[in-house]
Amino acid sequence: MTTKRDFLQLADLTRQELDQLFARSAVLKADRRARKTHQTLAGRTLAIVLEKNSTRTRLSFEAAIHQLGGHAITLATADSQLSRGEPIDDTARVTSSYADGIVFRTFGDDRLQTLARASSVPVINGLSAGGHPVQLLADLFTVIERLGTLEGRKVAWVGDGASNMAFSWIEAARIFGFELRIGAPKEYAPPASVLSTVGAGARVHVVSDPREAVQGADVVSTDVWTSMGQEAESAERLRVLGGYQLDAALLAKAAPSAIVLHCLPAHRGEEITGEVIDSPQSAIFQEAENRLHTSKALLELLLA
Ligand code: CP
Ligand code: NVA
């Protein structure tokens, strides 16, 4: 019997597997354009369990498994016994007796770990407080598509440096060795516990001036200032992060060939302007489409 593989963070795959996943994503993307179909996951069932809202994660995983010959079942907390207090480990044991894999979107990473431990099938982190690794697969693949390689790139992250997306970019910088400059106020800088994971030699720098972070960058990325579950802090976040908007003037500091990423949903006019989202430098909707192709490659790797 083979042991199940989870994908709770990027480092759950080897560097070689990640490179293979990007290569496979490119094939699956080209095949979809050519209307070539696949049955690599025929008969497989994917359970998608959501404790927070989702558009892209839900739709891309549902479409991905369907397009590979399998089937998805999505369970939102409000409709399930989770909202009435059923323990997450009981839920995991039952769900893994029906499905061949589970995508789980939740709050704390303790819930994710508990579900993964109690599940007998692969568990995929569909976003938690600690990271959003499936989004990074799409983001990194988009950088490769647009710029050719990750090696030697300068990536700038502006705004909330303590968000799940920022944490996953830090993890990606460690694995792929690119330079990451985070421009964040001290109130929302990455905590020492996260920065200490990058190790000596990793090129991750935190600065408080967003212009310093963006200067000469090849990739500029940001995320909402108020993540799901932080709504009560919204006014304070808006106040502290107000100077970190990714607008045309800030983007002008980057390399002329720089691309812009945002995982979406965006609050246009808050962390990023509509002008930047819709600009020729924006790869944001390509990035969103790539969620489909990279999720397919991930499902094949874990479930086939
Ligand atoms: N980027 C992302 O995960 O989007 P959703 O919240 O819509 O799934
Ligand atoms: N940081 C955001 C990402 C949404 C995809 C959140 O957690 O709400």
Side-chain angles (χ1 to χ4, degrees), residues 82-94:
L82 279 167
S83 64
R84 299 182 62 250
E86 182 166 12
I88 199 67
D89 33 6
D90 289 354
T91 306
R93 285 173 66 180
V94 173

Side-chain angles (χ1 to χ4, degrees), residues 140-221:
L140 298 170
F141 178 59
T142 306
V143 175
I144 295 167
E145 279 190 319
R146 284 283 188 119
L147 304 178
T149 56
L150 291 165
E151 281 73 25
R153 296 293 167 201
K154 293 193 189 104
V155 178
W157 176 270
V158 287
D160 185 359
S163 76
N164 39 22
M165 281 298 300
F167 296 161
S168 286
W169 271 107
I170 292 169
E171 194 192 12
R174 170 165 60 83
I175 294 170
F176 292 93
F178 55 77
E179 184 181 342
L180 177 65
R181 270 184 263 138
I182 298 172
K186 64 178 187 324
E187 293 88 337
Y188 300 112
S193 57
V194 172
L195 288 174
S196 66
T197 61
V198 297
R203 294 181 301 156
V204 177
H205 311 284
V206 183
V207 294
S208 57
D209 183 348
R211 288 162 302 194
E212 196 182 331
V214 171
Q215 189 66 47
D218 303 302
V219 178
V220 185
S221 192

Side-chain angles (χ1 to χ4, degrees), residues 11-50:
D12 287 338
L13 298 183
T14 64
R15 172 66 201 264
Q16 192 187 11
E17 284 172 326
L18 289 165
D19 288 340
Q20 284 165 354
L21 186 148
F22 296 136
R24 180 65 181 155
S25 302
V27 171
L28 290 164
K29 184 169 182 173
D31 286 350
R32 179 158 167 78
R33 296 271 195 275
R35 296 185 174 272
K36 182 176 167 194
T37 58
H38 293 272
Q39 289 292 318
T40 45
L41 295 179
R44 301 298 161 110
T45 299
L46 180 69
I48 302 169
V49 181
L50 300 172

